[in-house]
Amino acid sequence: MALNHLSLLRPLLHPSLVRHVRCPLLASPRVIVRPPLCLGTSQQPAAACTRLYATKKSKAKAKGQSAKVNINSALVEDIISLGEVKEDMSAVLGALKDDFTRSLSIRTSPGALDHIVVTTQDGKFPLNQLGQISMKSPQLIMVNMSSFPEATAAATRALRESSMNLNPEVDGTIIKVVVPKVTREHRENLAKLAKQLSNKAKDSLRRVRTNAVTQVKKAKEGHSEDTIRLLEKQIQQMSDNFAADIDKQLAAKTKELLG
């Protein structure tokens, strides 16, 4: 009926006006996207709605936080001593630090030979317990074996077979150790040795973790699955932390050696 009235008025209307009038009637229906409905009260109008999207950074942070486990050691003492596990892992890291100090030093000092172990008929002894070590010059270290002359040959052999690239000379009960110059090749070899020592430390760390997890799994009977699973995560978390410390020690030592 509206169209009939429009046809009667057509002569009186401007053509452009007719088009504006007809468009709403003839246009195809449109899909209206409404914003999310926010509820408010008559006293307190609803605030503007904002959709929050989690960023990759926030997701990673949330994931890291949710992965952390911190179990009260006293509650699981009947399963495993987490304190002892931590001590064993800490011992691995401590041994690596000692190896780095003893075997990878590029500074010459009498203490550089202290770690060398001499095998004798009476057992194994550190070199500094058998001989008096002193420096005659930055390139020459003297080992006086007069207190245990019978161990002179064994001490000489231990010095030659060490990883320090030494070629000792014997003069009676005096062992002369010429310290080689620190070349770039020597530094690179020490850096490779540092990598090997850190890998061995990680192997030892994995053995500590595996033994601990095995002990936990043996206690499944009489304990909830959640407790066992959380304990395994706790041990893995401890192992990961110490592995990260090993990597830091390696990076620092490599930087020291290569400059």
Side-chain angles (χ1 to χ4, degrees), residues 25 27 35 43 50 71 77-78 110 117 120 124 147 151 163 215 221:
L25 298 175
Q43 291 80 13
T50 303
I71 299 175
E77 284 183 347
D78 59 328
V117 177
T120 68
K124 296 182 178 181
S147 298
S163 61
Q215 182 177 343
E221 295 183 3

Side-chain angles (χ1 to χ4, degrees), residues 70-83 219 222-224 227-228 230-231 234:
N70 190 10
I71 299 175
N72 188 337
S73 300
L75 299 179
V76 293
E77 284 183 347
D78 59 328
I79 302 177
I80 193 172
S81 173
L82 292 176
H223 297 87
S224 67
T227 299
I228 299 300
L230 289 175
L231 268 175
Q234 176 83 51

